Amino acid sequence: MTIRPTALLIDFDGVLRSHDPATAELIELRHGLEPGAILAAGLEWDRQLPAITGQIKRDEWLENIAEALGVDEAVVREWDAYKGEIVPEVLRFVKDVRSAGMKVGLATNAMDDLGDVLALHGLTTQFDAVANSSEIGVHKPAPGFFRAACALVGAHPKQCLFIDDADRNIRAARAAGLSAYRYTPGDDLSYARKALGI
């Protein structure tokens, strides 16, 4: 017998928040960098992991990127000033799930400034809980991340639907006992709505 989820865990970047790559590319080209160079440097695992598990602050992460690229730190901070856009349809979905009486948790690999970013986008009150890897000390797709996220919304893994844009996170969530759905840009989330009964 299939258990209908009674709580939602949803990813931030790539699901609720999107970024226009052209914005970053203009900054990079203006400073003589290849398009995508700053993000690529930031995502190098030995640089990203300490930042998303709370070992270093975002400021130090930005400093490390600048050093790796051999550019002034101001260039990287200009790039970092762009905080993306919230996807309206996904935010509406989050609101509808909460209106239906279910808890919603943001479940994301993020840094110490996540609270500020949520405030900037007016999202501070939109979630019942926030599972931030840098606060938990464990990142997706580790099983401990999903256990902590479920606990934050007060639900057993079998009661949670997890939505993410990365296949490895989806597979890991299912292995941890959650229901999971992979989001792609433009998705109307009708399948997720049906799974939640809304």
Side-chain angles (χ1 to χ4, degrees):
M1 180 179 173
T2 302
I3 299 174
R4 172 169 282 175
T6 57
L8 172 69
L9 294 172
I10 191 164
D11 184 34
F12 192 37
D13 284 324
V15 181
L16 182 56
R17 179 171 70 166
S18 65
H19 288 84
D20 180 358
T23 301
E25 288 173 7
L26 286 173
I27 296 169
E28 290 165 324
L29 290 171
R30 190 165 65 248
H31 294 286
L33 293 170
E34 289 291 323
I38 296 177
L39 180 60
L43 293 181
E44 287 184 13
W45 197 232
D46 61 346
R47 194 167 292 119
Q48 181 189 22
L49 180 61
I52 63 171
T53 53
Q55 299 172 54
I56 64 172
K57 304 292 187 183
R58 189 177 190 90
D59 283 345
E60 188 175 346
W61 179 71
L62 295 173
E63 292 168 9
N64 292 343
I65 294 172
E67 183 179 353
L69 294 175
V71 299
D72 192 284
E73 192 179 318
V75 175
V76 180
R77 290 193 177 278
E78 181 185 354
W79 167 86
D80 189 55
Y82 169 56
K83 299 300 183 182
E85 294 88 27
I86 300 305
V87 181
E89 297 80 7
V90 180
L91 180 57
R92 171 50 52 195
F93 169 69
V94 167
K95 291 180 176 180
D96 288 348
V97 173
R98 293 187 79 201
S99 294
M102 287 175 271
K103 288 189 175 181
V104 177
L106 188 68
T108 181
N109 285 340
M111 301 181 197
D112 62 295
D113 65 328
L114 179 61
D116 294 336
V117 174
L118 296 180
L120 177 68
H121 288 297
L123 298 175
T124 303
T125 63
Q126 297 300 324
F127 306 100
D128 297 290
V130 174
N132 178 354
S133 62
S134 66
E135 294 182 357
I136 296 170
V138 182
H139 66 286
K140 290 183 293 185
F145 177 89
F146 294 107
R147 286 195 297 269
C150 291
L152 284 169
V153 291
H156 188 278
K158 291 186 182 298
Q159 297 173 300
C160 290
L161 172 65
F162 172 67
I163 299 178
D164 198 286
D165 62 319
D167 183 61
R168 70 173 189 159
N169 293 336
I170 293 298
R171 286 186 279 110
R174 288 173 178 159
L178 293 76
S179 299
Y181 176 71
R182 186 175 182 183
Y183 175 86
T184 54
D187 193 330
D188 66 1
L189 292 165
S190 57
Y191 179 89
R193 287 178 177 275
K194 183 176 180 181
L196 292 166
I198 63 170

